Amino acid sequence: MVGALTVVGGGAVGLTCALAAADRGWSVRVIDAGPRRRAADVAGGMLGCFAEGRPGEDRLLQIARASVDGWPDLLARLGDPDLSVAADTLLVAASSADLDELTRQVDFLADRIPGGADRLPRMTARQLRAAEPALSRTVAGGFRAIGEGAVDNRRLIAALDRALVAAGATVANGEVTDLDALPGDRILVAAGLGVRRLVPSVDVRGEKGEILRLARTWWSVPPPDHVVRARWHGRVVYVVPRADGVVVGATQYEAFDDDDRTPSAGGVADLLADAGELMPSLRTYELTEVAAGIRPSSPDGIPIVEQIDDRVIVAAGHGRNGIALAPWTAARFVELLDTSDDC
Ligand SMILES: Cc1cc2nc3c(=O)[nH]c(=O)nc-3n(C[C@H](O)[C@H](O)[C@H](O)COP(=O)(O)OP(=O)(O)OC[C@H]3O[C@@H](n4cnc5c(N)ncnc54)[C@H](O)[C@@H]3O)c2cc1C
C-alpha cells in the first residue's frame, strides 16, 4: 500500500483519478455530495478533441488530443462494452455561412493534428445524409471527425464506481466542509464547482447549460450511429446517441448562481427547434428529461490540476470537456501523487 488518499467529489474527474490511484496501490476513499450538483450527470458524453478545437485554444487542443488517446485504455479497464455510444462525429452546417465557419475551424485543426486533413474529411450534403439518413434534406455540407466518439455519461459514472469498489476503494455519500478534518495522507479535491468553497484560492466559474433527453418510440426511426454536431444558423446544437434515444445539447452561458440548475424556457425552446430541424424525425421521440447543469470552468479554459500544499491536490475547471479530459487529468494527477510521495 502506497498510502491513504481521500477524494472529494465523485464526478468523472474525481472517480477517474481515484481509480488511477487505486490501481497504483493507494488506499482510496471517495466522498461525494451526490448527482444533483454533478455536471457529469447531465453531460452529453462527447469525447471532443477535433470538434471542440477552437482557434486560439492550441494548448487545450493538445491536452484534449492526449486525453482522447487515453480513452481506449480507460474503456478497456472499465470493461463495459455498452459504455461507448459512437465512434465518429459528423460536423454539419445548415447554411453556406455555417459551412464557412465550420471550414475555418477544421482548417485550424487540420494544421495542428498529425494527419489532420485525413481525419477530418469534407463531406457533401449527400454523403452526410448517406451516413445519417435522418439528417435534414437542407444541410449544406460538413465534415466527418474520424475517431471522435462519445460515451454514455451516466453509465460511465456507474462503471467507475463499480471498478473502484472492485479495486478495494470505498465510495461514500457526504458533503465535505473542512479538508483538515478528513482522514488520509493525501487529499484530492475534485468537487467540480464545489472546489470554490473548499479551496477558495482556485479560480473556477460556472457556465450553465440546458440539455435534453429524448427516448425513441416504437414508431420512430432509430437513434443516429454518429454524434451529430451542427452549426445551425449561427447556433450550435448536438445530438448524441444513447441505447434508447438521444441527448440533445447544449446551451452555454455564464451562471450567476452556483445552485441554479433550473432550465430556462428559451434554452429549451432553442434546442428543441434546432434539433427538430437538424433531424426532423426526432420530433416523434418522447421528451423524457429537461435538465440544466453548470460546467466548472477555469478562466483560461485549461483544466487546473495542481498541488495546493503538502497534502492537498486540486483537479477542477474542466469546463465543457471534463469527461473527455478525464484520462489526461488522471495521468497528470498520479504524476503529482508520485512527486509529492517522493518528498
Ligand atoms: C450541459 C452540459 C453538457 C456537457 N457535455 C459534455 C460532453 O459532452 N463532454 C464532456 O467531456 N464534458 C461535457 N460537459 C462538461 C462536464 O460535465 C464537466 O466538465 C465534468 O463533469 C466536470 O467533472 P468534475 O468531476 O470536475 O465535476 P462534476 O461532474 O460536477 O462532479 C463534482 C462532484 O463533486 C461533488 N461535490 C461538490 N462539492 C462537494 C463537497 N463539498 N463534498 C463532497 N462532494 C462534493 C458533487 O456532488 C459532484 O458529484 C458538459 C457539461 C454540461 C453542464
Side-chain angles (χ1 to χ4, degrees):
M1 195 73 65
V2 187
L5 168 73
T6 299
V7 177
V8 183
V13 170
L15 295 179
T16 311
C17 290
L19 186 60
D23 284 346
R24 294 170 87 85
W26 285 79
S27 165
V28 176
R29 177 187 165 87
V30 179
I31 306 174
D32 181 63
R36 203 186 61 77
R37 284 193 276 142
R38 187 184 299 148
D41 206 56
V42 296
M46 293 173 296
L47 307 182
C49 164
F50 305 141
E52 282 293 341
R54 297 177 188 172
E57 294 188 340
D58 293 67
R59 173 76 184 128
L60 184 58
L61 179 63
Q62 215 179 11
I63 291 172
R65 274 182 48 210
S67 203
V68 167
D69 288 347
W71 264 97
D73 283 350
L74 179 57
L75 288 173
R77 170 71 181 84
L78 295 175
D80 175 352
D82 296 326
L83 213 49
S84 176
V85 292
D88 291 350
T89 295
L90 300 182
L91 306 175
V92 177
S95 66
S96 56
D98 290 321
L99 191 55
D100 286 350
E101 188 63 36
L102 209 51
T103 304
R104 267 193 292 279
Q105 184 189 351
V106 166
D107 288 347
F108 162 78
L109 295 165
D111 285 350
R112 284 161 181 80
I113 296 171
D118 294 338
R119 294 167 79 175
L120 289 159
R122 185 180 277 274
M123 293 179 84
T124 62
R126 187 187 287 266
Q127 287 168 330
L128 286 168
R129 280 182 41 81
E132 213 49 87
L135 276 175
S136 160
R137 289 175 186 283
T138 65
V139 297
F143 298 84
R144 180 192 288 265
I146 297 172
E148 177 133 321
V151 292
D152 180 326
N153 53 319
R154 292 176 184 168
R155 259 191 114 98
L156 172 68
I157 299 293
L160 284 165
D161 270 339
R162 274 197 311 277
L164 273 165
V165 172
T170 58
V171 182
N173 194 258
E175 165 107 28
V176 172
T177 53
D178 178 7
L179 297 182
D180 290 337
L182 291 177
D185 305 307
R186 297 280 185 278
I187 293 170
L188 170 67
V189 185
L193 208 55
V195 79
R196 297 219 288 213
R197 288 186 189 134
L198 293 167
V199 189
S201 61
V202 174
D203 191 4
V204 173
R205 68 201 167 91
E207 289 180 301
K208 190 176 166 183
E210 280 81 24
I211 194 157
L212 315 173
R213 280 171 164 77
L214 276 61
R216 179 191 178 183
T217 51
W218 64 264
W219 65 89
S220 51
V221 299
D225 291 327
H226 307 82
V227 174
V228 177
R229 293 182 69 125
R231 284 194 178 270
W232 207 253
H233 303 294
R235 288 200 294 244
V236 173
V237 63
Y238 57 75
V239 177
V240 191
R242 289 292 184 270
D244 59 347
V246 295
V247 177
V248 174
T251 55
Q252 183 162 340
Y253 51 94
E254 191 80 24
F256 295 110
D257 175 350
D258 285 7
D259 294 317
D260 173 16
R261 287 175 178 76
T262 306
S264 89
V268 174
D270 288 349
L271 291 177
L272 277 177
D274 293 347
E277 284 183 20
L278 172 67
M279 302 187 94
S281 52
L282 290 182
R283 288 164 178 271
T284 63
Y285 280 44
E286 286 171 350
L287 178 58
T288 50
E289 188 179 318
V290 174
I294 306 184
R295 303 167 183 87
S297 303
S298 68
D300 61 2
I302 306 297
I304 301 158
V305 189
E306 58 187 42
Q307 182 108 28
I308 300 300
D309 58 34
D310 287 351
R311 203 166 166 242
V312 176
I313 294 172
V314 161
H318 292 68
R320 62 183 193 268
N321 295 314
I323 294 179
L325 300 182
W328 175 86
T329 306
R332 175 89 190 99
F333 165 64
V334 291
E335 256 173 50
L336 287 176
L337 261 189
D338 287 349
T339 317
S340 56
D341 206 33
D342 292 342
C343 297

